[in-house]
Amino acid sequence: MSEGPDLRKAGHGPDPHRTPERQTPVANELMPLWAVSLRWELRRGRQIVLDGHVRDRWWVDGRPASFRELLAQVLVLQGAEVVGWWDPVDQLTFPVAGHRERFDQLVRGLSSQPAPAPEDGQDGREEAAGDSGTRRDRERRRRAEGMFAPRAPRRYSSLEDVTAVVRQLSASPDSATAFVFQDIDHALQPAGDRESQLGYLRLRAAMTDAVEPRPGPSSGPPPLARNAVLCAVGDIGRLPAWFHQDDPRVAALHISAPGPAERRLWLRLLRQEFSGGEGATGPEWEALVGATDGMTAWELAALARTSHIRREPVQRPDKLVRAHRLNVSVDPWTQLDRESVARAADELRTRVIGQDRAVEAVAGALQAAYVGVGFGDSGSSRPRGSFFFVGPTGVGKTELAKAVAQLIFGDQSAYARFDMSEYQQEHAAERLAGAPPGYLGYEQGGELTTRVQERPFSVLLFDEIEKAHPAVLDKFLQILEDGRLTDGRGQTANFSQCLIIFTSNTGADAVKDLLAERAADGEDVPYGLLVEHFEDAVERKFHEIRRPEIYGRLKPGVVVFDMLRTQHVTGITDRLLGQLAESVRERYQVELVHDRASVHKWITERMSDPTRQSYGGRQIRNELEALRAAVVRHFIERRPEAGSSLRLSVDADGVPLVAAGDGGGERA
């Protein structure tokens, strides 16, 4: 196994006559923030558990470097004369040239102790035992001397052997050593078996027994980190909690994705690999720094290759990042059939009855997404469209969202609904974006971010948004402004290809009183009055929860749904009974036809009551349950033959009738 570059030849080795600051070839501000934090913790004598992006790329002296190479340099800069690295695949290795030899020398030093002298009177007793006893004594001494004699360097093959010798070396004040155990969670599973727990106990003993730094005079240089034992894991949740929480000398340090300053450095290193990179200006690079939020260093390098392969220049950062993340050559929004987009309003009206204004607003957003023009590129990372549907209950808000998903993607599975009544607690925000590292459920990610990462082309419906906790609403503000959301694992979900719809019933409870008041005067409620009522109710609601900025962002997309008018009640009735007839036809091959005149008269009278009217389309379905029950009873009692027909009607008393063919029917 290669031991890696000789950091000492580059002037990286410890110099006792120079302070750590003078030994540092890279200024702190040019080092990753986690590496700067690590140096301070080591100087304070704490042992570290590193978790997060331990497999990402970093940099050393202005060039790309692996996590192993960077961490080894940090430890050398902190005064370590031996840096050892253990992982389940390669076992114990040494990333710095010459450190294996020094390690073997230190191990031999541990065992080169003089043999213990015999106790008083022992030799006399042995001599008294005769010649055979003397021979046994000499043989015993030869064996004891052989145990402590220098021997060939040992290659440690088990984790138990490694932790044993690391514990000895880290507890010795005669040398400065540092050992890193990477992916220890894969070698020792914390599932409760005793051997596994013993392995963690041995490792923690090595960490807590390590020699601490010794501060010098207050006017002198700061102390170097003395002996260090570190763990590096991808997910700290895989380690037993007691391993890093119960000992004050053991600290957890999370390695996040590169921040803005670190991404700026990476883009500078990769400048020549980007299309248009040589001629890009400072502001253009800054725009790309902002657009790559949440990307790892490996992803930034892949982004440069995407720029070259797809010929996407740095000057179009949002388009470049979108092409990289979606990994598709064709924008599916532009692949919509032109005629279907032009007829979007007509197609949506067939499923959502009586909501012409809402349908027109959504159809307009689809057409804008299809054409793809707007006010520059500043908002191209935002969702394709965002709406806030508000109005009485049961008037088609959810149905319109499903219809849009079917129209755009030809698949209703592209529609995802999130019931905000399940997100009323503050901690529920973690369900959307995932729990932070170290917490339960961290490895699962967030419900929303995972959905968008798996299906970036989606219609997302957040139902009854007014019930969500304000902390959850803050997540939505980030999505609407930036078009992205980073989960607890550091993975970013991009919402630029999503259509987002919020619904709210705020103000719906007052509709019944409004209807009753107007009905007493013999008047209908005009749509303009509903718009004024609901917009005022929603704005007051967002001020009550102290989130007016969210309403300000959503206000251009607010769509007030109309109440169900008399002329719409019959249309919804015909559609629901048509679905009932289709169910009968598929199951029994029997034609079911309803008498429009009698059914329309009956349902119109029923829905004229203000209380029923306030419940919207759901109440129509509830009323039609009586007709469905009559059909069910007829099938049980009469068993109509395949190929026959049934006629459904309602008599003057409001009783459903089911007849065979054109007969008079029977009362249900």
Side-chain angles (χ1 to χ4, degrees):
M1 176 63 66
S2 173
E3 294 187 337
D6 190 344
L7 298 180
R8 299 172 302 172
K9 294 179 181 180
H12 298 168
D15 185 344
H17 302 292
R18 300 169 64 189
T19 65
E21 284 72 16
R22 292 179 180 175
Q23 296 180 35
T24 306
V26 181
N28 280 350
E29 59 266 25
L30 295 181
M31 295 183 70
L33 293 180
W34 65 264
V36 177
S37 299
L38 175 63
R39 295 184 66 187
W40 282 108
E41 292 290 358
L42 291 175
R43 288 182 182 182
R44 286 196 281 257
R46 303 186 76 179
Q47 308 302 330
I48 310 299
V49 177
L50 296 163
D51 84 297
H53 293 277
V54 297
R55 291 174 177 81
D56 198 12
R57 298 176 72 191
W58 304 97
W59 64 88
V60 170
D61 294 341
R63 60 178 176 80
S66 66
F67 169 74
R68 171 186 168 108
E69 186 176 358
L70 172 59
L71 184 54
Q73 181 182 19
V74 170
L75 295 173
V76 168
L77 293 174
Q78 293 304 109
E81 55 183 302
V82 170
V83 176
W85 198 284
W86 184 93
D87 65 70
V89 176
D90 298 323
Q91 303 296 318
L92 182 61
T93 57
F94 299 85
V96 183
H99 280 207
R100 173 175 286 280
E101 292 76 9
R102 178 57 176 156
F103 170 78
D104 292 335
Q105 182 182 5
L106 293 175
V107 171
R108 285 193 295 268
L110 291 176
S111 58
S112 59
Q113 301 175 1
E119 297 179 1
D120 294 341
Q122 182 178 2
D123 289 343
R125 289 192 298 270
E126 293 287 351
E127 291 291 340
D131 291 342
S132 61
T134 303
R135 285 194 299 271
R136 285 195 301 270
D137 179 60
R138 288 197 297 267
E139 181 66 22
R140 188 181 301 110
R141 290 184 180 183
R142 281 195 298 271
R143 291 178 181 177
E145 292 173 358
M147 290 177 61
F148 297 99
R151 61 187 64 185
R154 178 181 177 184
R155 295 297 181 262
Y156 295 90
S157 58
S158 70
L159 179 60
E160 182 178 353
D161 292 340
V162 174
T163 53
V165 72
V166 166
R167 183 181 182 186
Q168 286 183 286
L169 289 177
S170 62
S172 171
D174 300 329
S175 60
T177 61
F179 293 90
V180 181
F181 290 82
Q182 185 171 10
D183 296 332
I184 190 70
D185 53 320
H186 292 280
L188 299 174
Q189 296 298 327
D193 59 86
R194 293 185 177 180
E195 293 183 1
S196 171
Q197 299 294 333
L198 184 58
Y200 282 111
L201 286 170
R202 290 194 186 104
L203 182 57
R204 195 174 72 166
M207 300 173 79
T208 55
D209 289 351
V211 176
E212 301 178 11
R214 292 191 179 93
S218 59
S219 59
L224 293 174
R226 193 62 192 140
N227 293 342
V229 181
L230 302 90
C231 294
V233 296
D235 179 9
I236 198 172
R238 289 174 56 88
L239 299 177
W242 56 263
F243 178 74
H244 57 89
Q245 291 180 357
D246 293 349
D247 194 326
R249 282 191 54 189
V250 179
L253 181 59
H254 181 68
I255 302 178
S256 303
E262 296 164 346
R263 295 198 304 276
R264 189 176 296 112
L265 173 61
W266 270 115
L267 294 176
R268 186 164 68 246
L269 296 176
L270 300 169
R271 172 186 292 268
Q272 296 180 351
E273 300 183 26
F274 280 91
S275 175
E278 290 296 334
T281 64
E284 288 170 342
W285 282 112
E286 284 302 306
L288 187 58
V289 170
T292 54
D293 182 29
M295 282 192 174
T296 64
W298 278 108
E299 288 179 306
L300 291 174
L303 180 68
R305 291 188 283 272
T306 299
S307 175
H308 178 73
I309 295 170
R310 300 281 293 277
R311 300 182 183 276
E312 294 287 356
V314 172
Q315 289 76 5
R316 302 291 298 274
D318 290 325
K319 189 175 181 181
L320 170 59
V321 172
R322 185 164 61 249
H324 172 72
R325 282 175 167 158
L326 299 178
N327 194 27
V328 290
S329 301
V330 179
D331 187 344
W333 286 85
T334 64
Q335 298 305 297
L336 292 172
D337 179 65
R338 183 182 296 272
E339 294 299 324
S340 296
V341 173
R343 300 192 312 268
D346 295 333
E347 293 191 24
L348 295 176
R349 284 193 190 96
T350 61
R351 291 189 55 174
V352 183
I353 299 173
Q355 302 297 338
D356 290 347
R357 293 172 179 83
V359 166
E360 291 290 346
V362 173
L366 297 182
Q367 293 166 358
Y370 174 78
V371 175
V373 297
F375 299 102
D377 294 330
S378 60
S380 59
S381 62
R382 293 176 178 175
R384 287 283 181 156
S386 57
F387 295 98
F388 190 10
F389 291 170
V390 62
T393 182
V395 293
K397 297 188 289 291
T398 302
E399 185 65 24
L400 181 56
K402 293 180 180 179
V404 169
Q406 180 69 39
L407 176 65
I408 299 174
F409 306 111
D411 182 8
Q412 277 200 118
S413 64
Y415 157 84
R417 176 180 176 271
F418 295 86
D419 188 349
M420 292 294 100
S421 63
E422 300 176 2
Y423 296 84
Q424 298 185 34
Q425 304 300 323
E426 183 175 5
H427 62 78
E430 298 176 358
R431 291 180 52 190
L432 289 177
Y439 287 80
L440 183 65
Y442 158 71
E443 68 283 353
Q444 299 176 359
E447 295 177 0
L448 176 59
T449 52
T450 300
R451 161 72 193 201
V452 174
Q453 288 163 357
E454 294 175 351
R455 299 199 63 164
F457 303 95
S458 297
V459 175
L460 305 176
L461 176 71
F462 301 98
D463 204 12
E464 297 186 296
I465 187 65
E466 74 278 1
K467 295 183 179 180
H469 191 276
V472 177
L473 298 178
D474 292 337
K475 300 289 186 183
F476 295 135
L477 186 61
Q478 179 181 346
I479 293 172
L480 296 173
E481 289 292 341
D482 302 329
R484 56 181 178 263
L485 186 64
T486 302
D487 64 14
R489 299 173 296 180
Q491 300 178 352
T492 301
N494 187 279
F495 291 79
S496 62
Q497 302 301 314
C498 294
L499 186 69
I500 297 181
I501 300 175
F502 300 96
T503 73
S504 175
N505 290 328
T506 299
D509 52 352
V511 170
K512 181 174 68 173
D513 297 335
L514 190 62
L515 289 171
E517 180 182 348
R518 303 290 293 195
D521 298 334
E523 300 177 0
D524 203 357
V525 179
Y527 177 72
L529 183 59
L530 286 176
V531 171
E532 181 181 346
H533 167 74
F534 279 105
E535 287 185 348
D536 180 67
V538 170
E539 187 170 6
R540 282 190 284 104
K541 179 66 176 180
F542 276 97
H543 276 85
E544 288 176 5
I545 62 175
R546 298 180 180 180
R547 291 299 187 276
E549 66 279 7
I550 297 179
Y551 179 73
R553 181 64 185 83
L554 289 171
K555 192 171 183 179
V558 172
V559 177
V560 177
F561 276 59
D562 196 4
M563 57 177 286
L564 289 182
R565 309 290 175 175
T566 302
Q567 64 270 26
H568 303 144
V569 170
T570 56
I572 295 175
T573 299
D574 288 340
R575 184 166 64 84
L576 291 174
L577 291 180
Q579 294 173 356
L580 178 62
E582 181 65 24
S583 175
V584 171
R585 185 182 306 111
E586 290 182 358
R587 179 120 183 150
Y588 296 102
Q589 294 77 49
V590 173
E591 291 293 329
L592 176 65
V593 180
H594 65 277
D595 178 52
R596 291 175 179 267
S598 63
V599 172
H600 287 181
K601 179 182 177 183
W602 168 76
I603 194 65
T604 301
E605 292 176 353
R606 297 286 297 177
M607 293 301 297
S608 63
D609 178 77
T611 301
R612 294 191 181 98
Q613 194 175 4
S614 64
Y615 291 113
R618 292 189 180 92
Q619 185 61 33
I620 297 178
R621 182 187 293 271
N622 293 340
E623 298 294 335
L624 295 180
E625 279 294 324
L627 276 64
R628 187 180 71 90
V631 174
V632 170
R633 177 181 292 274
H634 184 84
F635 270 87
I636 291 177
E637 296 180 352
R638 302 293 180 178
R639 298 182 182 179
E641 297 180 357
S644 62
S645 62
L646 297 176
R647 181 171 177 269
L648 178 63
S649 62
V650 180
D651 67 11
D653 297 328
V655 178
L657 302 175
V658 180
D662 295 330
E666 62 179 9
R667 296 170 66 91

